[in-house]
Amino acid sequence: MTTSLGRAMGGVTKEEQEKLLGVEGLERLCKTYGSADYLERAMRDWSDDVFFLDIWEGLQDRARGQTSNIGTMSVADVAERTSKNVESDDVDGGSLFDETASWYARLRERSEKIIIDTLNSNVREALRPYRHINPWATLSGASASASNATELSPTAEIDPLLSYLRSTLAFLSRALASAPLRRITRAVLTTISTTLWENVLSRYRFSTQGAAQLHADLAAVCRVVDKHVGTGVAEAGLAKCLEGVKIVGLPVKGNSASQVDTAKGRDDDGGEEDEDWDTGAWDAEDGDEVHDAPQKANTARGTASGVDVGELGLWEVERRLFADNQSARDVLEDLGLELLSETEARALLRRRVELAG
């Protein structure tokens, strides 16, 4: 199924190689997988059939006898073709088709592994353009307060991955049962998560709007996967990446009392706070309380970064995350982050442009 294998095979054209790496190649692998799975189950079922049980008991009796042969075959040859327990004193151990069923099981597992390897290779290739773009720190922060991450359009460079997942998972959802489909999808999502973690999250700087855009791209991947595989599968497979995006997408200011104090401590002349109050007053509609406006501004910032309203802001998280390990664990728990370690969270928070110095 690989390009090198295709080149090594005589008479295989470039077009045929591309077909082998596409849906047609997956179709062949799925047929092999399905046949092996069916025959393995059939062998297990036949082993419980009365007819084959009688044959198995007869073989065991002859194997435990004084002779070293069963007909024209040695006992070792019979064991290799039926079951290694043919000479065992355990009457209930083994069956006539143990070795045959095991062979089909290995073929099934090998077919599934090749499917996963093929998908992982193609996913990495589809993510190649996405890994090399770097708009994350330069996206305008002004629009972050007016845009929700779920309303942003996916980045153009993520389209090859979305198209590949859409066509591949649509086919696999028809060709495979639910259990192998979910196993294969989880393996592919692990590859996507690892690639994005190593080549995007851990590599580039992020503004609030940049993190919101990355969140929108991940949400697009989740929608495609959930449509064909099932709700919640994508979120579970990309959980660590989603938590990383939440860290780098924290709003600059939260709406908790301690966050306000921290922000004031960082603002020497208090001008930034006054500006928020003034802007909120102008934005307030007739009948609205003026003191509600700053909270509305903070709410918009939290929504843009994919963080729920009422959560902590960047400065307070930074203060608590770098204080000590216990404080870091507490703030990660407050944020609802279960997979990120303290070290990983600190490294990601340093990717924010506000803390890049």
Side-chain angles (χ1 to χ4, degrees):
M1 292 303 300
T2 62
T3 303
S4 58
L5 176 61
R7 290 172 179 170
M9 296 171 60
V12 178
T13 65
K14 182 179 179 180
E15 290 74 15
E16 290 173 335
Q17 292 177 26
E18 292 177 353
K19 289 181 179 179
L20 288 175
L21 293 173
V23 173
E24 290 190 21
L26 284 178
E27 184 176 2
R28 294 186 184 184
L29 285 170
C30 288
K31 287 180 178 179
T32 302
Y33 177 91
S35 298
D37 183 60
Y38 173 80
L39 290 172
E40 179 194 358
R41 294 173 185 272
M43 295 300 105
R44 306 291 186 193
D45 292 340
W46 288 0
S47 296
D48 295 330
D49 187 90
V50 175
F51 175 76
F52 293 113
L53 282 174
D54 290 339
I55 296 177
W56 172 245
E57 291 174 359
L59 285 175
Q60 281 188 308
D61 292 339
R62 298 176 66 178
R64 287 194 293 265
Q66 299 298 324
T67 179
S68 60
N69 292 329
I70 301 178
T72 60
M73 299 176 62
S74 67
V75 174
D77 290 336
V78 173
E80 184 179 351
R81 288 165 173 77
T82 57
S83 173
K84 295 178 180 179
N85 293 322
V86 70
E87 297 180 273
S88 174
D89 293 331
D90 185 6
V91 178
D92 296 328
S95 62
L96 184 62
F97 298 106
D98 274 359
E99 291 300 317
T100 307
S102 297
W103 188 88
Y104 283 121
R106 290 192 295 270
L107 177 60
R108 172 180 55 79
E109 292 169 359
R110 188 162 64 249
S111 301
E112 182 175 327
K113 183 179 184 302
I114 295 175
I115 292 174
I116 291 173
D117 290 343
T118 301
L119 265 60
N120 283 341
S121 176
N122 292 342
V123 159
R124 293 190 189 96
E125 185 63 29
L127 279 172
R128 184 185 297 274
Y130 193 77
R131 299 200 309 260
H132 296 296
I133 63 171
N134 183 19
W136 314 114
T138 56
L139 287 174
S140 173
S143 60
S145 60
S147 301
N148 190 296
T150 58
E151 298 174 355
L152 295 173
S153 300
T155 309
E157 287 77 6
I158 201 71
D159 285 343
L161 176 65
L162 297 178
S163 299
Y164 179 74
L165 290 177
R166 196 175 291 115
S167 60
T168 301
L169 294 179
F171 168 75
L172 291 178
S173 64
R174 298 190 301 269
L176 298 176
S178 177
L181 175 63
R182 286 174 177 264
R183 283 198 305 270
I184 291 171
T185 303
R186 283 196 296 267
V188 173
L189 289 172
T190 299
T191 298
I192 295 174
S193 181
T194 302
T195 302
L196 294 180
W197 182 277
E198 294 177 352
N199 296 279
V200 179
L201 274 170
S202 300
R203 183 177 179 183
Y204 298 118
R205 305 287 184 185
F206 288 87
S207 64
T208 304
Q209 182 67 7
Q213 183 61 60
L214 180 56
H215 182 272
D217 295 342
L218 289 176
V221 174
C222 290
R223 287 193 296 271
V224 172
V225 174
D226 288 349
K227 177 181 178 181
H228 297 290
V229 184
T231 304
V233 175
E235 286 78 2
L238 298 175
K240 189 171 183 179
C241 259
L242 291 171
E243 289 190 1
V245 172
K246 191 171 185 178
I247 278 286
V248 298
L250 288 168
V252 175
K253 294 181 181 178
N255 55 7
S256 65
S258 57
Q259 172 62 26
V260 172
D261 293 340
T262 304
K264 286 182 178 179
R266 290 183 174 273
D267 188 9
D268 294 333
D269 57 2
E272 186 175 346
E273 287 292 313
D274 293 337
E275 182 180 352
D276 283 340
W277 279 87
D278 293 341
T279 304
W282 283 107
D283 291 341
E285 298 179 357
D286 294 340
D288 289 343
E289 294 291 339
V290 174
H291 58 73
D292 288 337
Q295 184 173 356
K296 292 180 180 179
N298 288 332
T299 299
R301 294 189 189 97
T303 304
S305 61
V307 180
D308 293 336
V309 176
E311 288 189 335
L312 305 174
L314 176 65
W315 302 124
E316 182 173 358
V317 171
E318 181 217 10
R319 175 177 60 81
R320 295 174 59 184
L321 192 61
F322 288 94
D324 54 63
N325 287 338
Q326 184 57 49
S327 176
R329 285 190 288 269
D330 291 341
V331 73
L332 291 177
E333 183 178 355
D334 291 343
L335 290 171
L337 306 181
E338 301 177 352
L339 300 179
L340 291 182
S341 66
E342 299 90 337
T343 302
E344 290 171 335
R346 288 164 180 159
L348 285 177
L349 199 61
R350 291 191 181 100
R351 311 310 299 177
R352 277 297 291 264
V353 292
E354 292 86 352
L355 306 175

